[in-house]
Amino acid sequence: MTLPFIDDDDIYHRADIFLHEYHPSYLCPIPIEEIAEVKLGLFILPVKNLETKCEIDGSISRDFKTILIDEKVYLHQDDRARFTLAHEVGHYILHKSLFEKNHSITTIEDFVDFQNSLSYKDWQRIEIQAYRFAEEILFPKAVFRDVVEQEVKRLGGLDKLTITDLSTLGKKIKKVFHVSNGASYSKLRREFSLIIEKAQSNIPF
Amino acid sequence: MNQTFGEFFRQKRLEQKMSLRGYCEKTAYDVAYISRIENSLMLPPKDESKLQDLAESLHIIKNSTDWERFFDLAAISHKTLPKDIDARALNYLPAFLRSASKKELKKEDIEKLLKLIKEGKGE
Protein backbone atom coordinates (compact mmCIF):
# COMPACT_ATOMS: atom_id res chain seq x y z
CA MET A 1 0.00 0.00 0.00
CA THR A 2 1.43 3.38 -1.01
CA LEU A 3 0.57 6.20 1.32
CA PRO A 4 0.15 9.59 -0.28
CA PHE A 5 1.64 12.60 1.44
CA ILE A 6 -1.19 14.91 2.49
CA ASP A 7 0.00 18.20 3.96
CA ASP A 8 -1.89 20.29 6.50
CA ASP A 9 -3.15 22.77 3.89
CA ASP A 10 -4.57 19.96 1.81
CA ILE A 11 -6.27 18.47 4.85
CA TYR A 12 -7.73 21.87 5.70
CA HIS A 13 -9.15 22.23 2.17
CA ARG A 14 -10.62 18.74 2.20
CA ALA A 15 -12.17 19.38 5.60
CA ASP A 16 -13.61 22.65 4.36
CA ILE A 17 -15.12 20.94 1.30
CA PHE A 18 -16.52 18.30 3.67
CA LEU A 19 -18.18 20.91 5.90
CA HIS A 20 -19.46 22.85 2.93
CA GLU A 21 -21.15 19.71 1.65
CA TYR A 22 -22.42 18.14 4.87
CA HIS A 23 -22.85 21.08 7.26
CA PRO A 24 -22.94 24.27 5.19
CA SER A 25 -24.16 26.43 8.09
CA TYR A 26 -20.83 25.76 9.89
CA LEU A 27 -22.87 26.15 13.09
CA CYS A 28 -20.97 24.83 16.11
CA PRO A 29 -20.82 22.40 17.76
CA ILE A 30 -20.54 20.43 14.54
CA PRO A 31 -23.14 17.59 14.67
CA ILE A 32 -20.55 14.96 13.84
CA GLU A 33 -22.59 11.95 14.95
CA GLU A 34 -25.52 13.02 12.79
CA ILE A 35 -23.22 13.67 9.81
CA ALA A 36 -21.59 10.25 10.24
CA GLU A 37 -24.88 8.36 10.56
CA VAL A 38 -27.30 10.28 8.38
CA LYS A 39 -25.18 11.97 5.72
CA LEU A 40 -22.39 9.40 5.33
CA GLY A 41 -24.52 6.36 6.16
CA LEU A 42 -22.01 4.99 8.63
CA PHE A 43 -23.09 2.55 11.34
CA ILE A 44 -21.90 2.97 14.92
CA LEU A 45 -20.90 -0.04 16.98
CA PRO A 46 -20.05 0.63 20.64
CA VAL A 47 -17.67 -2.05 21.96
CA LYS A 48 -17.32 -2.70 25.68
CA ASN A 49 -13.75 -2.39 26.99
CA LEU A 50 -12.32 -1.63 23.56
CA GLU A 51 -9.97 0.84 25.17
CA THR A 52 -8.90 -1.22 28.16
CA LYS A 53 -8.50 -4.50 26.25
CA CYS A 54 -7.24 -3.26 22.88
CA GLU A 55 -5.80 0.17 23.71
CA ILE A 56 -7.92 1.97 21.13
CA ASP A 57 -10.89 4.24 21.77
CA GLY A 58 -12.22 3.97 18.25
CA SER A 59 -11.66 2.60 14.79
CA ILE A 60 -13.31 2.43 11.41
CA SER A 61 -14.09 -1.05 10.16
CA ARG A 62 -12.05 -2.34 7.26
CA ASP A 63 -15.09 -2.15 4.95
CA PHE A 64 -15.44 1.51 5.94
CA LYS A 65 -19.10 1.06 6.85
CA THR A 66 -18.98 1.08 10.64
CA ILE A 67 -17.29 3.11 13.34
CA LEU A 68 -16.31 1.05 16.35
CA ILE A 69 -16.09 3.09 19.53
CA ASP A 70 -15.39 2.25 23.14
CA GLU A 71 -18.80 1.97 24.78
CA LYS A 72 -17.83 3.93 27.89
CA VAL A 73 -16.43 6.77 25.78
CA TYR A 74 -19.55 6.76 23.56
CA LEU A 75 -22.03 6.81 26.42
CA HIS A 76 -20.26 8.84 29.08
CA GLN A 77 -17.53 10.99 27.55
CA ASP A 78 -19.31 13.05 24.95
CA ASP A 79 -16.41 15.39 24.14
CA ARG A 80 -14.04 12.50 23.55
CA ALA A 81 -16.65 10.55 21.61
CA ARG A 82 -17.15 13.47 19.25
CA PHE A 83 -13.44 13.67 18.55
CA THR A 84 -13.20 9.90 18.05
CA LEU A 85 -16.10 9.97 15.57
CA ALA A 86 -14.54 12.91 13.71
CA HIS A 87 -11.19 11.11 13.61
CA GLU A 88 -12.76 7.98 12.11
CA VAL A 89 -14.68 10.12 9.61
CA GLY A 90 -11.24 11.49 8.73
CA HIS A 91 -10.08 7.97 7.85
CA TYR A 92 -13.27 7.50 5.83
CA ILE A 93 -12.64 10.63 3.79
CA LEU A 94 -8.86 10.43 3.46
CA HIS A 95 -8.04 6.73 3.45
CA LYS A 96 -10.99 4.70 2.19
CA SER A 97 -9.57 4.49 -1.32
CA LEU A 98 -6.26 3.12 0.00
CA PHE A 99 -7.96 0.18 1.60
CA GLU A 100 -10.30 -0.64 -1.26
CA LYS A 101 -7.37 -2.24 -3.05
CA ASN A 102 -6.97 -4.79 -0.26
CA HIS A 103 -9.87 -7.15 -0.80
CA SER A 104 -7.80 -10.28 -0.41
CA ILE A 105 -8.27 -10.42 3.37
CA THR A 106 -10.55 -13.35 4.16
CA THR A 107 -9.03 -14.81 7.32
CA ILE A 108 -7.65 -13.56 10.63
CA GLU A 109 -4.16 -14.52 9.47
CA ASP A 110 -4.52 -12.39 6.31
CA PHE A 111 -5.64 -9.50 8.45
CA VAL A 112 -2.71 -9.82 10.87
CA ASP A 113 -0.24 -10.04 7.97
CA PHE A 114 -1.69 -6.97 6.32
CA GLN A 115 -1.63 -4.89 9.50
CA ASN A 116 1.92 -5.93 10.29
CA SER A 117 3.02 -5.09 6.74
CA LEU A 118 2.15 -1.49 7.45
CA SER A 119 5.21 0.16 9.00
CA TYR A 120 4.84 1.93 12.31
CA LYS A 121 5.83 5.16 10.57
CA ASP A 122 3.10 4.74 7.92
CA TRP A 123 0.56 3.94 10.59
CA GLN A 124 1.53 7.08 12.50
CA ARG A 125 1.22 9.15 9.34
CA ILE A 126 -2.29 7.82 8.70
CA GLU A 127 -3.30 8.58 12.28
CA ILE A 128 -1.89 12.12 12.22
CA GLN A 129 -3.74 12.86 8.97
CA ALA A 130 -7.04 11.66 10.48
CA TYR A 131 -6.35 13.64 13.67
CA ARG A 132 -5.75 16.84 11.71
CA PHE A 133 -8.91 16.27 9.68
CA ALA A 134 -10.91 15.78 12.89
CA GLU A 135 -9.54 19.06 14.25
CA GLU A 136 -10.37 20.92 11.06
CA ILE A 137 -13.98 19.77 10.99
CA LEU A 138 -14.69 20.18 14.69
CA PHE A 139 -13.06 23.62 14.81
CA PRO A 140 -13.96 25.35 11.53
CA LYS A 141 -11.13 27.84 11.00
CA ALA A 142 -13.13 31.06 10.67
CA VAL A 143 -15.41 30.25 13.61
CA PHE A 144 -12.46 29.25 15.78
CA ARG A 145 -10.62 32.46 14.96
CA ASP A 146 -13.69 34.58 15.80
CA VAL A 147 -14.31 32.82 19.11
CA VAL A 148 -10.68 33.13 20.22
CA GLU A 149 -10.25 36.73 19.13
CA GLN A 150 -13.49 37.85 20.77
CA GLU A 151 -12.69 36.07 24.01
CA VAL A 152 -9.15 37.48 24.14
CA LYS A 153 -10.62 40.94 23.58
CA ARG A 154 -13.17 40.38 26.35
CA LEU A 155 -10.37 39.33 28.68
CA GLY A 156 -8.57 42.64 28.13
CA GLY A 157 -6.47 41.97 25.05
CA LEU A 158 -3.36 39.98 24.27
CA ASP A 159 -0.97 42.13 26.30
CA LYS A 160 -2.98 41.68 29.48
CA LEU A 161 -3.66 37.97 29.08
CA THR A 162 -2.48 35.82 32.00
CA ILE A 163 -2.20 32.12 32.64
CA THR A 164 -5.56 32.21 34.47
CA ASP A 165 -7.18 33.76 31.41
CA LEU A 166 -5.83 30.89 29.35
CA SER A 167 -7.97 28.55 31.39
CA THR A 168 -11.03 30.79 30.82
CA LEU A 169 -10.27 30.80 27.11
CA GLY A 170 -9.97 27.00 27.11
CA LYS A 171 -13.36 26.70 28.82
CA LYS A 172 -14.92 28.98 26.21
CA ILE A 173 -13.50 26.88 23.36
CA LYS A 174 -14.70 23.69 25.02
CA LYS A 175 -18.19 25.13 25.45
CA VAL A 176 -18.57 26.38 21.88
CA PHE A 177 -17.07 23.39 20.08
CA HIS A 178 -17.98 20.55 22.54
CA VAL A 179 -14.52 19.07 22.66
CA SER A 180 -12.23 17.97 25.47
CA ASN A 181 -9.82 20.28 27.30
CA GLY A 182 -6.92 18.49 25.67
CA ALA A 183 -8.26 18.95 22.15
CA SER A 184 -9.08 22.62 22.85
CA TYR A 185 -5.61 23.37 24.14
CA SER A 186 -3.94 21.47 21.33
CA LYS A 187 -5.89 23.43 18.70
CA LEU A 188 -5.16 26.72 20.45
CA ARG A 189 -1.46 25.91 20.53
CA ARG A 190 -1.44 25.07 16.83
CA GLU A 191 -3.42 28.09 15.65
CA PHE A 192 -2.52 30.73 18.24
CA SER A 193 0.78 29.78 19.83
CA LEU A 194 1.46 33.49 20.46
CA ILE A 195 -1.53 33.66 22.80
CA ILE A 196 -0.15 30.83 24.90
CA GLU A 197 3.36 32.31 24.96
CA LYS A 198 2.02 35.74 25.95
CA ALA A 199 -0.24 34.36 28.66
CA GLN A 200 2.59 32.31 30.09
CA SER A 201 4.99 35.24 30.14
CA ASN A 202 2.62 37.90 31.50
CA ILE A 203 2.79 38.25 35.27
CA PRO A 204 -0.73 38.51 36.73
CA PHE A 205 -0.22 41.81 38.65
CA MET B 1 -31.08 -4.37 -2.72
CA ASN B 2 -32.02 -6.79 0.04
CA GLN B 3 -32.32 -4.82 3.22
CA THR B 4 -31.48 -6.59 6.46
CA PHE B 5 -33.58 -6.30 9.60
CA GLY B 6 -30.77 -4.28 11.19
CA GLU B 7 -30.60 -1.84 8.29
CA PHE B 8 -34.38 -1.37 8.38
CA PHE B 9 -34.29 -0.87 12.14
CA ARG B 10 -31.60 1.79 11.78
CA GLN B 11 -33.49 3.48 8.95
CA LYS B 12 -36.62 3.78 11.11
CA ARG B 13 -34.57 5.10 14.05
CA LEU B 14 -32.96 7.77 11.86
CA GLU B 15 -36.36 8.72 10.42
CA GLN B 16 -37.31 9.52 14.00
CA LYS B 17 -34.21 11.76 14.17
CA MET B 18 -32.72 9.77 17.01
CA SER B 19 -29.03 9.03 17.36
CA LEU B 20 -28.14 5.55 18.59
CA ARG B 21 -27.32 7.01 21.99
CA GLY B 22 -30.46 9.16 22.02
CA TYR B 23 -32.67 6.20 21.14
CA CYS B 24 -31.16 4.03 23.87
CA GLU B 25 -31.46 6.79 26.45
CA LYS B 26 -35.10 7.31 25.54
CA THR B 27 -36.11 3.66 25.43
CA ALA B 28 -33.69 2.23 28.04
CA TYR B 29 -32.55 -0.46 25.61
CA ASP B 30 -28.91 -1.49 25.98
CA VAL B 31 -26.73 0.23 23.37
CA ALA B 32 -24.62 -2.91 22.85
CA TYR B 33 -27.77 -4.91 22.08
CA ILE B 34 -29.35 -2.39 19.72
CA SER B 35 -26.13 -1.62 17.85
CA ARG B 36 -25.51 -5.34 17.31
CA ILE B 37 -29.02 -5.81 15.99
CA GLU B 38 -28.51 -2.89 13.62
CA ASN B 39 -25.17 -4.29 12.48
CA SER B 40 -26.63 -7.79 12.01
CA LEU B 41 -24.27 -9.18 14.63
CA MET B 42 -27.18 -10.26 16.81
CA LEU B 43 -30.60 -11.66 16.07
CA PRO B 44 -33.76 -9.72 16.82
CA PRO B 45 -35.93 -11.28 19.55
CA LYS B 46 -38.06 -14.27 18.53
CA ASP B 47 -40.65 -13.41 21.12
CA GLU B 48 -43.53 -11.63 19.37
CA SER B 49 -44.27 -9.20 22.19
CA LYS B 50 -40.62 -8.15 22.53
CA LEU B 51 -40.43 -7.57 18.80
CA GLN B 52 -43.63 -5.57 19.02
CA ASP B 53 -42.10 -3.42 21.79
CA LEU B 54 -39.13 -2.70 19.52
CA ALA B 55 -41.40 -1.76 16.61
CA GLU B 56 -43.42 0.55 18.84
CA SER B 57 -40.26 2.15 20.20
CA LEU B 58 -39.52 3.20 16.62
CA HIS B 59 -43.05 4.61 16.24
CA ILE B 60 -43.93 2.13 13.51
CA ILE B 61 -47.69 2.19 13.05
CA LYS B 62 -49.37 -1.09 13.86
CA ASN B 63 -50.47 -3.11 10.81
CA SER B 64 -48.84 -0.64 8.42
CA THR B 65 -46.61 -1.80 5.55
CA ASP B 66 -43.57 -0.93 7.68
CA TRP B 67 -44.97 -2.96 10.55
CA GLU B 68 -45.30 -6.02 8.31
CA ARG B 69 -41.87 -5.45 6.85
CA PHE B 70 -40.38 -5.20 10.35
CA PHE B 71 -41.76 -8.61 11.30
CA ASP B 72 -40.97 -10.20 7.93
CA LEU B 73 -37.34 -9.08 8.05
CA ALA B 74 -37.02 -10.32 11.63
CA ALA B 75 -38.24 -13.75 10.55
CA ILE B 76 -35.87 -13.79 7.57
CA SER B 77 -32.89 -12.87 9.75
CA HIS B 78 -33.57 -15.87 11.99
CA LYS B 79 -33.19 -18.13 8.98
CA THR B 80 -30.09 -16.52 7.48
CA LEU B 81 -28.08 -14.77 10.16
CA PRO B 82 -26.69 -17.51 12.42
CA LYS B 83 -24.44 -18.91 9.67
CA ASP B 84 -23.46 -15.45 8.61
CA ILE B 85 -22.34 -13.78 11.85
CA ASP B 86 -18.78 -15.17 12.03
CA ALA B 87 -18.02 -14.25 8.44
CA ARG B 88 -19.58 -10.82 8.87
CA ALA B 89 -17.61 -10.10 12.02
CA LEU B 90 -14.36 -10.11 10.01
CA ASN B 91 -15.59 -7.03 8.16
CA TYR B 92 -15.79 -5.18 11.45
CA LEU B 93 -12.10 -5.50 12.13
CA PRO B 94 -10.39 -2.11 12.07
CA ALA B 95 -8.98 -0.75 8.83
CA PHE B 96 -5.85 0.38 10.63
CA LEU B 97 -4.99 -1.29 13.87
CA ARG B 98 -2.09 -0.56 16.15
CA SER B 99 -1.74 0.54 19.71
CA ALA B 100 0.71 2.87 21.32
CA SER B 101 2.49 0.06 23.13
CA LYS B 102 2.33 -2.87 20.70
CA LYS B 103 4.45 -2.76 17.60
CA GLU B 104 3.29 -6.07 16.15
CA LEU B 105 -0.13 -7.70 16.17
CA LYS B 106 -0.74 -11.33 16.95
CA LYS B 107 -3.59 -13.63 15.98
CA GLU B 108 -4.71 -13.80 19.63
CA ASP B 109 -5.13 -10.01 19.71
CA ILE B 110 -7.54 -10.21 16.80
CA GLU B 111 -9.48 -13.15 18.22
CA LYS B 112 -9.93 -11.19 21.43
CA LEU B 113 -11.14 -8.17 19.49
CA LEU B 114 -13.53 -10.26 17.38
CA LYS B 115 -15.06 -11.66 20.56
CA LEU B 116 -15.65 -8.13 21.87
CA ILE B 117 -17.17 -7.09 18.54
CA LYS B 118 -19.52 -10.08 18.27
CA GLU B 119 -20.66 -10.37 21.85
CA GLY B 120 -20.55 -6.79 22.98
CA LYS B 121 -19.34 -7.96 26.37
CA GLY B 122 -16.23 -6.76 28.07
CA GLU B 123 -15.58 -9.80 30.21
Side-chain angles (χ1 to χ4, degrees):
Chain A
M1 183 162 74
T2 314
L3 288 177
F5 179 77
I6 313 175
D7 66 21
D8 285 356
D9 279 348
D10 194 10
I11 290 174
Y12 160 68
H13 285 298
R14 289 168 82 164
D16 198 45
I17 290 167
F18 175 89
L19 286 175
H20 191 71
E21 184 171 353
Y22 297 116
H23 189 59
S25 73
Y26 286 66
L27 215 63
C28 291
I30 302 296
I32 188 62
E33 186 169 356
E34 186 189 327
I35 294 174
E37 277 209 297
V38 180
K39 310 259 172 89
L40 301 178
L42 292 167
F43 283 67
I44 293 175
L45 185 68
V47 179
K48 278 193 177 86
N49 292 337
L50 185 64
E51 191 165 36
T52 52
K53 301 253 175 176
C54 302
E55 298 178 52
I56 46 174
D57 61 1
S59 176
I60 191 149
S61 63
R62 65 187 195 89
D63 60 5
F64 285 85
K65 288 181 180 167
T66 303
I67 294 176
L68 284 76
I69 183 165
D70 182 88
E71 189 180 299
K72 197 173 161 189
V73 171
Y74 181 65
L75 290 179
H76 306 297
Q77 299 175 35
D78 191 41
D79 294 344
R80 272 189 73 195
R82 286 171 43 74
F83 204 93
T84 300
L85 294 173
H87 180 106
E88 301 313 326
V89 165
H91 282 309
Y92 178 84
I93 297 294
L94 302 174
H95 305 128
K96 188 180 175 194
S97 59
L98 297 176
F99 216 89
E100 276 170 348
K101 294 160 195 161
N102 293 281
H103 287 307
S104 56
I105 297 169
T106 52
T107 65
I108 295 176
E109 287 82 358
D110 292 341
F111 178 80
V112 170
D113 288 346
F114 170 73
Q115 293 294 336
N116 287 334
S117 72
L118 201 64
S119 75
Y120 192 69
K121 202 176 160 188
D122 282 347
W123 174 78
Q124 275 184 315
R125 195 200 293 181
I126 286 172
E127 290 304 316
I128 289 169
Q129 288 171 355
Y131 182 90
R132 292 270 194 277
F133 187 90
E135 262 194 354
E136 296 295 356
I137 58 173
L138 291 180
F139 302 97
K141 219 176 249 316
V143 184
F144 186 70
R145 189 165 291 272
D146 273 358
V147 167
V148 172
E149 284 176 358
Q150 279 178 28
E151 189 64 6
V152 169
K153 196 174 167 188
R154 194 188 69 79
L155 290 165
L158 190 59
D159 289 335
K160 290 186 178 170
L161 214 63
T162 65
I163 199 88
T164 319
D165 294 331
L166 210 53
S167 159
T168 310
L169 180 57
K171 280 179 192 158
K172 178 72 181 180
I173 294 170
K174 183 178 158 67
K175 191 178 169 190
V176 173
F177 299 97
H178 283 207
V179 289
S180 68
N181 288 328
S184 301
Y185 194 75
S186 165
K187 182 65 178 172
L188 188 63
R189 179 174 286 282
R190 191 179 328 283
E191 299 288 334
F192 291 96
S193 56
L194 182 67
I195 288 179
I196 294 177
E197 284 165 26
K198 274 278 188 186
Q200 285 172 339
S201 62
N202 287 340
I203 301 164
F205 52 80
Chain B
M1 196 185 94
N2 291 332
Q3 194 177 34
T4 64
F5 176 81
E7 286 164 349
F8 186 62
F9 188 102
R10 177 179 178 277
Q11 180 195 316
K12 300 312 291 179
R13 170 174 66 75
L14 292 176
E15 280 174 15
Q16 294 296 321
K17 308 231 177 292
M18 286 189 279
S19 67
L20 174 64
R21 185 173 20 185
Y23 168 82
C24 291
E25 275 170 10
K26 197 173 171 187
T27 60
Y29 280 115
D30 179 42
V31 74
Y33 174 63
I34 296 299
S35 60
R36 271 153 192 79
I37 284 182
E38 287 191 350
N39 280 280
S40 302
L41 287 168
M42 202 174 263
L43 290 165
K46 261 189 174 168
D47 183 290
E48 186 88 1
S49 69
K50 285 181 183 168
L51 202 54
Q52 197 164 319
D53 288 345
L54 279 176
E56 284 169 357
S57 75
L58 294 166
H59 303 284
I60 299 175
I61 299 163
K62 208 166 185 175
N63 300 325
S64 64
T65 317
D66 280 350
W67 182 273
E68 281 174 26
R69 183 161 174 74
F70 190 84
F71 284 81
D72 285 350
L73 288 173
I76 291 168
S77 68
H78 277 278
K79 286 178 192 158
T80 56
L81 213 58
K83 289 169 259 171
D84 201 23
I85 287 178
D86 280 349
R88 284 181 57 77
L90 274 179
N91 289 331
Y92 290 84
L93 287 173
F96 312 106
L97 182 62
R98 285 291 165 92
S99 66
S101 61
K102 282 182 187 169
K103 292 274 193 288
E104 190 167 277
L105 284 173
K106 294 198 172 80
K107 192 181 171 189
E108 302 83 78
D109 300 326
I110 306 306
E111 286 169 341
K112 192 166 69 181
L113 178 55
L114 273 173
K115 195 169 187 293
L116 294 181
I117 289 171
K118 278 191 285 186
E119 297 175 3
K121 293 173 189 165
E123 295 74 36

